[in-house]
Amino acid sequence: MRLSFENATMMLGGGGAFAQAAGKRPNIVLILADDLGYGDLGCYGGADVLTPNIDRLAAEGMRFTDAYSCAPVCAPARAGLLTGRYPQRFGFEFNPFPRRKDPWGIPDSERLLSEDLKAAGYATGLVGKWHLGPGANQHPMKRGFDEFFGFIGGKHRYVEEAKKDANGPLLRGTQEVAEKEYLTEAFTREACSFIERNKARPFFLYLAPNAVHVPLQTPPEKYLSRVKGVEDEQRRNLVGILAALDDQVGAVRQKLKELGLLENTLLVFMSDNGGAVGNKSKNGKLRGVKTDLFDGGIRVPLIVSLAGTIHARDDQRLASILDLYPTFLNAALVRPVPERLDGADLLFGRMRHDALFWRYGPEKAVRSGKWKLVSLKEGSNQLFDLSVDVGEANDLAEKEPGRVKELMELWKKWDEKNVEPKWAGYQKNE
């Protein structure tokens, strides 16, 4: 039986209550998939996928139905995650162009989640994708991570080849490494090693695999053999890569269980943005894809699990990738939670967002309750009632001009605190 919000909140208790009851602060493991579609998991209605380990997390914990990224593309979404602030607040609005020469990334003025948790005594590790700036002062180990194994850029091959990856090498710390294993498996190895080495102290593991981002190199046969029934070759490669990602989630959970850490580890699974056209992801009934401000580009899977404490339920309230920062700080008993954050506590806050906002170049969007306003260009507004129109097919703007005005005024008030983009980047058709 999946619990109501009120009953589940009573079982969770007040902020940090589970940590205090256990006598120690929880470990935190965040697994952030890359370009995973809303309909690419069995627990979100995927019909041609095999994701038993991720589905198990959803069955054991909280499955958010209306969770959103703060951006329709990778880099600003990750910037929002690690700062807990809308990336437009500090000009990080777009993915940068590949191999960009001029400076880009999270500015030094922004404090990161990893820095706060490290200062609170947590061991901090990043395994996987960074994509938040290539400068020496922007390296993960300069921004609060004790350890780093992964790549700095926006994507990477799953299988190493003789020539170097055009997007940059794999690194252990700052040293280039050659990796013989399939990359998802290598990241699993490194994640489990980090957990093993830090089992005696609270830790924060940010596991950011490149799955299921392009290039969709053919995965090993042991994964493809599970999805032989998928006829489209590109889609078959994607769900094979997804099978490896699901195994990764299972391996991390199993490592925590073996070490007796599972019931004191907050385990979160999320995607950075919606599924992309180029990798044959599926966004279920949602309209749009990565780069869109329709829900297919920004509504994402979000699962939060803490064995024995968080009880199985669906949460239909608005949630955001920005919420992870304050949620993790509250769980770690870091006080006070900084007022600069735009997120809300997913576990202990009875109040959630009144509205969520997006800006992507000239495009705007706001969701408040069941209403969603999308403006693709100045003066062109589309209004949707998501309670009956999850696919954003029925534009109600002409019938509800007052609602359009109200939502646009909310968006303008939000935008007053933003700054202009610090660099140009990928937008539509680029």
Side-chain angles (χ1 to χ4, degrees), residues 197-231:
R197 287 182 284 105
N198 292 283
K199 60 187 177 184
R201 59 182 294 196
F203 59 78
F204 168 49
L205 171 62
Y206 175 28
L207 176 52
N210 53 324
V212 294
H213 199 292
V214 293
L216 295 184
Q217 291 177 291
T218 303
E221 178 59 28
K222 63 181 177 180
Y223 303 117
L224 280 180
S225 64
R226 304 178 194 174
V227 293
K228 289 181 178 179
V230 179
E231 295 184 1

PDB file of all heavy atoms in Angstrom, residues 197-231:
ATOM      1  N   ARG A 197      35.344   2.576   0.910  1.00  0.00           N
ATOM      2  CA  ARG A 197      36.437   3.290   1.572  1.00  0.00           C
ATOM      3  C   ARG A 197      35.954   4.325   2.581  1.00  0.00           C
ATOM      4  O   ARG A 197      36.721   4.750   3.452  1.00  0.00           O
ATOM      5  CB  ARG A 197      37.330   3.950   0.518  1.00  0.00           C
ATOM      6  CG  ARG A 197      38.194   2.962  -0.246  1.00  0.00           C
ATOM      7  CD  ARG A 197      39.104   3.628  -1.255  1.00  0.00           C
ATOM      8  NE  ARG A 197      38.381   4.064  -2.447  1.00  0.00           N
ATOM      9  CZ  ARG A 197      38.058   5.312  -2.725  1.00  0.00           C
ATOM     10  NH1 ARG A 197      38.386   6.276  -1.880  1.00  0.00           N
ATOM     11  NH2 ARG A 197      37.407   5.609  -3.831  1.00  0.00           N
ATOM     12  N   ASN A 198      34.702   4.722   2.479  1.00  0.00           N
ATOM     13  CA  ASN A 198      34.188   5.767   3.374  1.00  0.00           C
ATOM     14  C   ASN A 198      33.066   5.268   4.276  1.00  0.00           C
ATOM     15  O   ASN A 198      32.311   6.063   4.830  1.00  0.00           O
ATOM     16  CB  ASN A 198      33.710   6.955   2.548  1.00  0.00           C
ATOM     17  CG  ASN A 198      34.853   7.688   1.871  1.00  0.00           C
ATOM     18  OD1 ASN A 198      35.573   8.447   2.504  1.00  0.00           O
ATOM     19  ND2 ASN A 198      35.033   7.441   0.578  1.00  0.00           N
ATOM     20  N   LYS A 199      32.988   3.954   4.457  1.00  0.00           N
ATOM     21  CA  LYS A 199      31.876   3.361   5.198  1.00  0.00           C
ATOM     22  C   LYS A 199      31.842   3.763   6.669  1.00  0.00           C
ATOM     23  O   LYS A 199      30.790   3.680   7.310  1.00  0.00           O
ATOM     24  CB  LYS A 199      31.935   1.840   5.072  1.00  0.00           C
ATOM     25  CG  LYS A 199      33.215   1.234   5.623  1.00  0.00           C
ATOM     26  CD  LYS A 199      33.274  -0.264   5.308  1.00  0.00           C
ATOM     27  CE  LYS A 199      34.597  -0.867   5.790  1.00  0.00           C
ATOM     28  NZ  LYS A 199      34.694  -2.304   5.395  1.00  0.00           N
ATOM     29  N   ALA A 200      32.965   4.217   7.200  1.00  0.00           N
ATOM     30  CA  ALA A 200      33.021   4.532   8.628  1.00  0.00           C
ATOM     31  C   ALA A 200      32.693   5.979   8.946  1.00  0.00           C
ATOM     32  O   ALA A 200      32.734   6.385  10.112  1.00  0.00           O
ATOM     33  CB  ALA A 200      34.413   4.198   9.171  1.00  0.00           C
ATOM     34  N   ARG A 201      32.347   6.773   7.909  1.00  0.00           N
ATOM     35  CA  ARG A 201      32.023   8.188   8.125  1.00  0.00           C
ATOM     36  C   ARG A 201      30.875   8.567   7.195  1.00  0.00           C
ATOM     37  O   ARG A 201      30.607   7.872   6.214  1.00  0.00           O
ATOM     38  CB  ARG A 201      33.243   9.067   7.844  1.00  0.00           C
ATOM     39  CG  ARG A 201      33.767   8.932   6.424  1.00  0.00           C
ATOM     40  CD  ARG A 201      34.999   9.775   6.164  1.00  0.00           C
ATOM     41  NE  ARG A 201      34.713  11.199   6.237  1.00  0.00           N
ATOM     42  CZ  ARG A 201      35.542  12.138   5.751  1.00  0.00           C
ATOM     43  NH1 ARG A 201      36.665  11.800   5.155  1.00  0.00           N
ATOM     44  NH2 ARG A 201      35.230  13.408   5.855  1.00  0.00           N
ATOM     45  N   PRO A 202      30.152   9.629   7.497  1.00  0.00           N
ATOM     46  CA  PRO A 202      29.089  10.046   6.570  1.00  0.00           C
ATOM     47  C   PRO A 202      29.688  10.482   5.240  1.00  0.00           C
ATOM     48  O   PRO A 202      30.748  11.115   5.194  1.00  0.00           O
ATOM     49  CB  PRO A 202      28.408  11.204   7.296  1.00  0.00           C
ATOM     50  CG  PRO A 202      29.414  11.699   8.267  1.00  0.00           C
ATOM     51  CD  PRO A 202      30.237  10.512   8.668  1.00  0.00           C
ATOM     52  N   PHE A 203      29.027  10.123   4.142  1.00  0.00           N
ATOM     53  CA  PHE A 203      29.553  10.470   2.832  1.00  0.00           C
ATOM     54  C   PHE A 203      28.445  10.948   1.903  1.00  0.00           C
ATOM     55  O   PHE A 203      27.265  10.623   2.081  1.00  0.00           O
ATOM     56  CB  PHE A 203      30.304   9.290   2.200  1.00  0.00           C
ATOM     57  CG  PHE A 203      29.483   8.035   1.998  1.00  0.00           C
ATOM     58  CD1 PHE A 203      28.587   7.901   0.943  1.00  0.00           C
ATOM     59  CD2 PHE A 203      29.622   6.960   2.883  1.00  0.00           C
ATOM     60  CE1 PHE A 203      27.846   6.742   0.762  1.00  0.00           C
ATOM     61  CE2 PHE A 203      28.881   5.795   2.713  1.00  0.00           C
ATOM     62  CZ  PHE A 203      27.989   5.682   1.651  1.00  0.00           C
ATOM     63  N   PHE A 204      28.863  11.746   0.923  1.00  0.00           N
ATOM     64  CA  PHE A 204      28.002  12.196  -0.160  1.00  0.00           C
ATOM     65  C   PHE A 204      28.623  11.718  -1.460  1.00  0.00           C
ATOM     66  O   PHE A 204      29.712  12.141  -1.835  1.00  0.00           O
ATOM     67  CB  PHE A 204      27.880  13.720  -0.165  1.00  0.00           C
ATOM     68  CG  PHE A 204      27.254  14.298  -1.418  1.00  0.00           C
ATOM     69  CD1 PHE A 204      26.069  13.788  -1.929  1.00  0.00           C
ATOM     70  CD2 PHE A 204      27.848  15.370  -2.086  1.00  0.00           C
ATOM     71  CE1 PHE A 204      25.489  14.318  -3.086  1.00  0.00           C
ATOM     72  CE2 PHE A 204      27.276  15.913  -3.231  1.00  0.00           C
ATOM     73  CZ  PHE A 204      26.101  15.383  -3.724  1.00  0.00           C
ATOM     74  N   LEU A 205      27.934  10.815  -2.145  1.00  0.00           N
ATOM     75  CA  LEU A 205      28.368  10.308  -3.441  1.00  0.00           C
ATOM     76  C   LEU A 205      27.441  10.850  -4.509  1.00  0.00           C
ATOM     77  O   LEU A 205      26.234  10.584  -4.493  1.00  0.00           O
ATOM     78  CB  LEU A 205      28.351   8.784  -3.463  1.00  0.00           C
ATOM     79  CG  LEU A 205      28.580   8.137  -4.840  1.00  0.00           C
ATOM     80  CD1 LEU A 205      29.953   8.499  -5.403  1.00  0.00           C
ATOM     81  CD2 LEU A 205      28.405   6.621  -4.752  1.00  0.00           C
ATOM     82  N   TYR A 206      28.002  11.626  -5.425  1.00  0.00           N
ATOM     83  CA  TYR A 206      27.274  12.128  -6.589  1.00  0.00           C
ATOM     84  C   TYR A 206      27.708  11.266  -7.761  1.00  0.00           C
ATOM     85  O   TYR A 206      28.799  11.420  -8.290  1.00  0.00           O
ATOM     86  CB  TYR A 206      27.615  13.601  -6.798  1.00  0.00           C
ATOM     87  CG  TYR A 206      27.045  14.266  -8.041  1.00  0.00           C
ATOM     88  CD1 TYR A 206      25.867  13.844  -8.639  1.00  0.00           C
ATOM     89  CD2 TYR A 206      27.711  15.362  -8.617  1.00  0.00           C
ATOM     90  CE1 TYR A 206      25.358  14.466  -9.759  1.00  0.00           C
ATOM     91  CE2 TYR A 206      27.212  16.003  -9.737  1.00  0.00           C
ATOM     92  CZ  TYR A 206      26.037  15.553 -10.307  1.00  0.00           C
ATOM     93  OH  TYR A 206      25.532  16.178 -11.434  1.00  0.00           O
ATOM     94  N   LEU A 207      26.851  10.332  -8.138  1.00  0.00           N
ATOM     95  CA  LEU A 207      27.115   9.404  -9.233  1.00  0.00           C
ATOM     96  C   LEU A 207      26.365   9.907 -10.455  1.00  0.00           C
ATOM     97  O   LEU A 207      25.139   9.870 -10.502  1.00  0.00           O
ATOM     98  CB  LEU A 207      26.671   7.993  -8.839  1.00  0.00           C
ATOM     99  CG  LEU A 207      26.774   6.892  -9.893  1.00  0.00           C
ATOM    100  CD1 LEU A 207      28.157   6.819 -10.504  1.00  0.00           C
ATOM    101  CD2 LEU A 207      26.364   5.557  -9.286  1.00  0.00           C
ATOM    102  N   ALA A 208      27.120  10.395 -11.436  1.00  0.00           N
ATOM    103  CA  ALA A 208      26.532  11.054 -12.608  1.00  0.00           C
ATOM    104  C   ALA A 208      26.961  10.334 -13.885  1.00  0.00           C
ATOM    105  O   ALA A 208      27.827  10.808 -14.630  1.00  0.00           O
ATOM    106  CB  ALA A 208      26.967  12.517 -12.652  1.00  0.00           C
ATOM    107  N   PRO A 209      26.372   9.171 -14.162  1.00  0.00           N
ATOM    108  CA  PRO A 209      26.764   8.418 -15.351  1.00  0.00           C
ATOM    109  C   PRO A 209      26.394   9.163 -16.626  1.00  0.00           C
ATOM    110  O   PRO A 209      25.516  10.019 -16.629  1.00  0.00           O
ATOM    111  CB  PRO A 209      25.962   7.120 -15.214  1.00  0.00           C
ATOM    112  CG  PRO A 209      24.760   7.506 -14.399  1.00  0.00           C
ATOM    113  CD  PRO A 209      25.269   8.534 -13.424  1.00  0.00           C
ATOM    114  N   ASN A 210      27.073   8.821 -17.727  1.00  0.00           N
ATOM    115  CA  ASN A 210      26.713   9.412 -19.017  1.00  0.00           C
ATOM    116  C   ASN A 210      25.509   8.719 -19.641  1.00  0.00           C
ATOM    117  O   ASN A 210      24.933   9.223 -20.603  1.00  0.00           O
ATOM    118  CB  ASN A 210      27.890   9.365 -19.992  1.00  0.00           C
ATOM    119  CG  ASN A 210      28.477   7.976 -20.140  1.00  0.00           C
ATOM    120  OD1 ASN A 210      28.545   7.210 -19.182  1.00  0.00           O
ATOM    121  ND2 ASN A 210      28.918   7.642 -21.337  1.00  0.00           N
ATOM    122  N   ALA A 211      25.089   7.594 -19.123  1.00  0.00           N
ATOM    123  CA  ALA A 211      23.913   6.890 -19.639  1.00  0.00           C
ATOM    124  C   ALA A 211      22.652   7.722 -19.383  1.00  0.00           C
ATOM    125  O   ALA A 211      22.463   8.223 -18.278  1.00  0.00           O
ATOM    126  CB  ALA A 211      23.784   5.524 -18.950  1.00  0.00           C
ATOM    127  N   VAL A 212      21.783   7.927 -20.384  1.00  0.00           N
ATOM    128  CA  VAL A 212      21.754   7.311 -21.689  1.00  0.00           C
ATOM    129  C   VAL A 212      22.051   8.329 -22.807  1.00  0.00           C
ATOM    130  O   VAL A 212      21.455   8.248 -23.883  1.00  0.00           O
ATOM    131  CB  VAL A 212      20.363   6.683 -21.942  1.00  0.00           C
ATOM    132  CG1 VAL A 212      20.116   5.511 -20.993  1.00  0.00           C
ATOM    133  CG2 VAL A 212      19.236   7.720 -21.726  1.00  0.00           C
ATOM    134  N   HIS A 213      22.993   9.212 -22.570  1.00  0.00           N
ATOM    135  CA  HIS A 213      23.375  10.251 -23.524  1.00  0.00           C
ATOM    136  C   HIS A 213      24.061   9.615 -24.739  1.00  0.00           C
ATOM    137  O   HIS A 213      24.691   8.564 -24.634  1.00  0.00           O
ATOM    138  CB  HIS A 213      24.329  11.223 -22.827  1.00  0.00           C
ATOM    139  CG  HIS A 213      24.465  12.555 -23.474  1.00  0.00           C
ATOM    140  ND1 HIS A 213      25.076  12.743 -24.699  1.00  0.00           N
ATOM    141  CD2 HIS A 213      24.088  13.794 -23.064  1.00  0.00           C
ATOM    142  CE1 HIS A 213      25.074  14.031 -25.003  1.00  0.00           C
ATOM    143  NE2 HIS A 213      24.461  14.693 -24.029  1.00  0.00           N
ATOM    144  N   VAL A 214      23.933  10.280 -25.887  1.00  0.00           N
ATOM    145  CA  VAL A 214      24.704   9.868 -27.057  1.00  0.00           C
ATOM    146  C   VAL A 214      26.185  10.078 -26.773  1.00  0.00           C
ATOM    147  O   VAL A 214      26.540  10.889 -25.895  1.00  0.00           O
ATOM    148  CB  VAL A 214      24.278  10.680 -28.305  1.00  0.00           C
ATOM    149  CG1 VAL A 214      22.863  10.341 -28.703  1.00  0.00           C
ATOM    150  CG2 VAL A 214      24.434  12.187 -28.087  1.00  0.00           C
ATOM    151  N   PRO A 215      27.087   9.374 -27.470  1.00  0.00           N
ATOM    152  CA  PRO A 215      26.858   8.458 -28.587  1.00  0.00           C
ATOM    153  C   PRO A 215      26.389   7.088 -28.098  1.00  0.00           C
ATOM    154  O   PRO A 215      26.938   6.549 -27.137  1.00  0.00           O
ATOM    155  CB  PRO A 215      28.243   8.350 -29.234  1.00  0.00           C
ATOM    156  CG  PRO A 215      29.190   8.557 -28.104  1.00  0.00           C
ATOM    157  CD  PRO A 215      28.534   9.558 -27.191  1.00  0.00           C
ATOM    158  N   LEU A 216      25.383   6.537 -28.779  1.00  0.00           N
ATOM    159  CA  LEU A 216      24.821   5.264 -28.366  1.00  0.00           C
ATOM    160  C   LEU A 216      25.654   4.122 -28.929  1.00  0.00           C
ATOM    161  O   LEU A 216      25.212   3.367 -29.803  1.00  0.00           O
ATOM    162  CB  LEU A 216      23.366   5.150 -28.820  1.00  0.00           C
ATOM    163  CG  LEU A 216      22.388   6.139 -28.197  1.00  0.00           C
ATOM    164  CD1 LEU A 216      20.981   5.839 -28.671  1.00  0.00           C
ATOM    165  CD2 LEU A 216      22.451   6.115 -26.679  1.00  0.00           C
ATOM    166  N   GLN A 217      26.864   3.988 -28.434  1.00  0.00           N
ATOM    167  CA  GLN A 217      27.680   2.850 -28.845  1.00  0.00           C
ATOM    168  C   GLN A 217      26.998   1.557 -28.421  1.00  0.00           C
ATOM    169  O   GLN A 217      26.367   1.482 -27.366  1.00  0.00           O
ATOM    170  CB  GLN A 217      29.059   2.948 -28.203  1.00  0.00           C
ATOM    171  CG  GLN A 217      29.915   4.081 -28.747  1.00  0.00           C
ATOM    172  CD  GLN A 217      31.234   4.166 -28.017  1.00  0.00           C
ATOM    173  OE1 GLN A 217      31.258   4.532 -26.843  1.00  0.00           O
ATOM    174  NE2 GLN A 217      32.322   3.839 -28.692  1.00  0.00           N
ATOM    175  N   THR A 218      27.126   0.537 -29.240  1.00  0.00           N
ATOM    176  CA  THR A 218      26.473  -0.732 -28.949  1.00  0.00           C
ATOM    177  C   THR A 218      26.967  -1.275 -27.610  1.00  0.00           C
ATOM    178  O   THR A 218      28.172  -1.455 -27.417  1.00  0.00           O
ATOM    179  CB  THR A 218      26.772  -1.760 -30.055  1.00  0.00           C
ATOM    180  OG1 THR A 218      26.348  -1.228 -31.305  1.00  0.00           O
ATOM    181  CG2 THR A 218      26.053  -3.067 -29.784  1.00  0.00           C
ATOM    182  N   PRO A 219      26.070  -1.511 -26.676  1.00  0.00           N
ATOM    183  CA  PRO A 219      26.489  -2.011 -25.358  1.00  0.00           C
ATOM    184  C   PRO A 219      26.882  -3.482 -25.430  1.00  0.00           C
ATOM    185  O   PRO A 219      26.591  -4.164 -26.422  1.00  0.00           O
ATOM    186  CB  PRO A 219      25.229  -1.806 -24.510  1.00  0.00           C
ATOM    187  CG  PRO A 219      24.106  -1.886 -25.473  1.00  0.00           C
ATOM    188  CD  PRO A 219      24.620  -1.291 -26.752  1.00  0.00           C
ATOM    189  N   PRO A 220      27.546  -4.006 -24.403  1.00  0.00           N
ATOM    190  CA  PRO A 220      27.915  -5.418 -24.388  1.00  0.00           C
ATOM    191  C   PRO A 220      26.711  -6.333 -24.571  1.00  0.00           C
ATOM    192  O   PRO A 220      25.582  -6.005 -24.203  1.00  0.00           O
ATOM    193  CB  PRO A 220      28.543  -5.589 -23.001  1.00  0.00           C
ATOM    194  CG  PRO A 220      29.080  -4.234 -22.665  1.00  0.00           C
ATOM    195  CD  PRO A 220      28.081  -3.268 -23.238  1.00  0.00           C
ATOM    196  N   GLU A 221      26.965  -7.511 -25.110  1.00  0.00           N
ATOM    197  CA  GLU A 221      25.910  -8.459 -25.452  1.00  0.00           C
ATOM    198  C   GLU A 221      25.066  -8.851 -24.241  1.00  0.00           C
ATOM    199  O   GLU A 221      23.856  -9.100 -24.374  1.00  0.00           O
ATOM    200  CB  GLU A 221      26.521  -9.714 -26.087  1.00  0.00           C
ATOM    201  CG  GLU A 221      25.514 -10.800 -26.456  1.00  0.00           C
ATOM    202  CD  GLU A 221      24.451 -10.320 -27.445  1.00  0.00           C
ATOM    203  OE1 GLU A 221      24.740  -9.399 -28.247  1.00  0.00           O
ATOM    204  OE2 GLU A 221      23.330 -10.867 -27.408  1.00  0.00           O
ATOM    205  N   LYS A 222      25.657  -8.883 -23.067  1.00  0.00           N
ATOM    206  CA  LYS A 222      24.888  -9.298 -21.895  1.00  0.00           C
ATOM    207  C   LYS A 222      23.740  -8.341 -21.603  1.00  0.00           C
ATOM    208  O   LYS A 222      22.759  -8.728 -20.958  1.00  0.00           O
ATOM    209  CB  LYS A 222      25.793  -9.426 -20.675  1.00  0.00           C
ATOM    210  CG  LYS A 222      26.458  -8.138 -20.218  1.00  0.00           C
ATOM    211  CD  LYS A 222      27.353  -8.413 -19.013  1.00  0.00           C
ATOM    212  CE  LYS A 222      28.099  -7.175 -18.569  1.00  0.00           C
ATOM    213  NZ  LYS A 222      28.972  -7.434 -17.397  1.00  0.00           N
ATOM    214  N   TYR A 223      23.853  -7.094 -22.066  1.00  0.00           N
ATOM    215  CA  TYR A 223      22.753  -6.146 -21.921  1.00  0.00           C
ATOM    216  C   TYR A 223      21.811  -6.211 -23.122  1.00  0.00           C
ATOM    217  O   TYR A 223      20.582  -6.202 -22.963  1.00  0.00           O
ATOM    218  CB  TYR A 223      23.292  -4.733 -21.742  1.00  0.00           C
ATOM    219  CG  TYR A 223      24.220  -4.587 -20.563  1.00  0.00           C
ATOM    220  CD1 TYR A 223      25.556  -4.240 -20.731  1.00  0.00           C
ATOM    221  CD2 TYR A 223      23.777  -4.835 -19.266  1.00  0.00           C
ATOM    222  CE1 TYR A 223      26.417  -4.123 -19.653  1.00  0.00           C
ATOM    223  CE2 TYR A 223      24.631  -4.725 -18.177  1.00  0.00           C
ATOM    224  CZ  TYR A 223      25.950  -4.371 -18.379  1.00  0.00           C
ATOM    225  OH  TYR A 223      26.799  -4.262 -17.314  1.00  0.00           O
ATOM    226  N   LEU A 224      22.378  -6.303 -24.316  1.00  0.00           N
ATOM    227  CA  LEU A 224      21.532  -6.389 -25.513  1.00  0.00           C
ATOM    228  C   LEU A 224      20.672  -7.646 -25.509  1.00  0.00           C
ATOM    229  O   LEU A 224      19.541  -7.639 -26.012  1.00  0.00           O
ATOM    230  CB  LEU A 224      22.403  -6.374 -26.769  1.00  0.00           C
ATOM    231  CG  LEU A 224      22.915  -5.019 -27.255  1.00  0.00           C
ATOM    232  CD1 LEU A 224      23.748  -5.206 -28.515  1.00  0.00           C
ATOM    233  CD2 LEU A 224      21.767  -4.057 -27.525  1.00  0.00           C
ATOM    234  N   SER A 225      21.186  -8.721 -24.945  1.00  0.00           N
ATOM    235  CA  SER A 225      20.438  -9.977 -24.958  1.00  0.00           C
ATOM    236  C   SER A 225      19.134  -9.878 -24.177  1.00  0.00           C
ATOM    237  O   SER A 225      18.210 -10.663 -24.399  1.00  0.00           O
ATOM    238  CB  SER A 225      21.298 -11.106 -24.385  1.00  0.00           C
ATOM    239  OG  SER A 225      21.605 -10.868 -23.017  1.00  0.00           O
ATOM    240  N   ARG A 226      19.049  -8.916 -23.285  1.00  0.00           N
ATOM    241  CA  ARG A 226      17.828  -8.748 -22.489  1.00  0.00           C
ATOM    242  C   ARG A 226      16.731  -8.024 -23.255  1.00  0.00           C
ATOM    243  O   ARG A 226      15.571  -8.054 -22.848  1.00  0.00           O
ATOM    244  CB  ARG A 226      18.134  -7.955 -21.212  1.00  0.00           C
ATOM    245  CG  ARG A 226      19.220  -8.533 -20.337  1.00  0.00           C
ATOM    246  CD  ARG A 226      19.466  -7.631 -19.130  1.00  0.00           C
ATOM    247  NE  ARG A 226      20.704  -7.955 -18.441  1.00  0.00           N
ATOM    248  CZ  ARG A 226      21.191  -7.246 -17.438  1.00  0.00           C
ATOM    249  NH1 ARG A 226      20.529  -6.175 -16.998  1.00  0.00           N
ATOM    250  NH2 ARG A 226      22.325  -7.592 -16.863  1.00  0.00           N
ATOM    251  N   VAL A 227      17.109  -7.329 -24.324  1.00  0.00           N
ATOM    252  CA  VAL A 227      16.149  -6.449 -25.012  1.00  0.00           C
ATOM    253  C   VAL A 227      16.050  -6.797 -26.491  1.00  0.00           C
ATOM    254  O   VAL A 227      15.842  -5.926 -27.333  1.00  0.00           O
ATOM    255  CB  VAL A 227      16.550  -4.972 -24.810  1.00  0.00           C
ATOM    256  CG1 VAL A 227      16.398  -4.571 -23.359  1.00  0.00           C
ATOM    257  CG2 VAL A 227      17.984  -4.702 -25.284  1.00  0.00           C
ATOM    258  N   LYS A 228      16.177  -8.077 -26.820  1.00  0.00           N
ATOM    259  CA  LYS A 228      16.160  -8.498 -28.220  1.00  0.00           C
ATOM    260  C   LYS A 228      14.838  -8.186 -28.905  1.00  0.00           C
ATOM    261  O   LYS A 228      14.778  -8.068 -30.131  1.00  0.00           O
ATOM    262  CB  LYS A 228      16.452  -9.993 -28.316  1.00  0.00           C
ATOM    263  CG  LYS A 228      17.894 -10.359 -27.995  1.00  0.00           C
ATOM    264  CD  LYS A 228      18.120 -11.851 -28.139  1.00  0.00           C
ATOM    265  CE  LYS A 228      19.577 -12.210 -27.870  1.00  0.00           C
ATOM    266  NZ  LYS A 228      19.828 -13.676 -27.975  1.00  0.00           N
ATOM    267  N   GLY A 229      13.764  -8.065 -28.134  1.00  0.00           N
ATOM    268  CA  GLY A 229      12.462  -7.808 -28.728  1.00  0.00           C
ATOM    269  C   GLY A 229      12.264  -6.399 -29.238  1.00  0.00           C
ATOM    270  O   GLY A 229      11.263  -6.109 -29.899  1.00  0.00           O
ATOM    271  N   VAL A 230      13.186  -5.477 -28.945  1.00  0.00           N
ATOM    272  CA  VAL A 230      13.068  -4.100 -29.427  1.00  0.00           C
ATOM    273  C   VAL A 230      13.582  -4.045 -30.857  1.00  0.00           C
ATOM    274  O   VAL A 230      14.763  -4.286 -31.114  1.00  0.00           O
ATOM    275  CB  VAL A 230      13.882  -3.143 -28.515  1.00  0.00           C
ATOM    276  CG1 VAL A 230      13.766  -1.707 -29.031  1.00  0.00           C
ATOM    277  CG2 VAL A 230      13.379  -3.239 -27.080  1.00  0.00           C
ATOM    278  N   GLU A 231      12.702  -3.729 -31.803  1.00  0.00           N
ATOM    279  CA  GLU A 231      13.050  -3.839 -33.222  1.00  0.00           C
ATOM    280  C   GLU A 231      13.961  -2.725 -33.713  1.00  0.00           C
ATOM    281  O   GLU A 231      14.907  -2.971 -34.471  1.00  0.00           O
ATOM    282  CB  GLU A 231      11.763  -3.878 -34.063  1.00  0.00           C
ATOM    283  CG  GLU A 231      10.915  -5.119 -33.821  1.00  0.00           C
ATOM    284  CD  GLU A 231       9.707  -5.165 -34.723  1.00  0.00           C
ATOM    285  OE1 GLU A 231       9.532  -4.237 -35.555  1.00  0.00           O
ATOM    286  OE2 GLU A 231       8.926  -6.129 -34.609  1.00  0.00           O
TER     287      GLU A 231
END
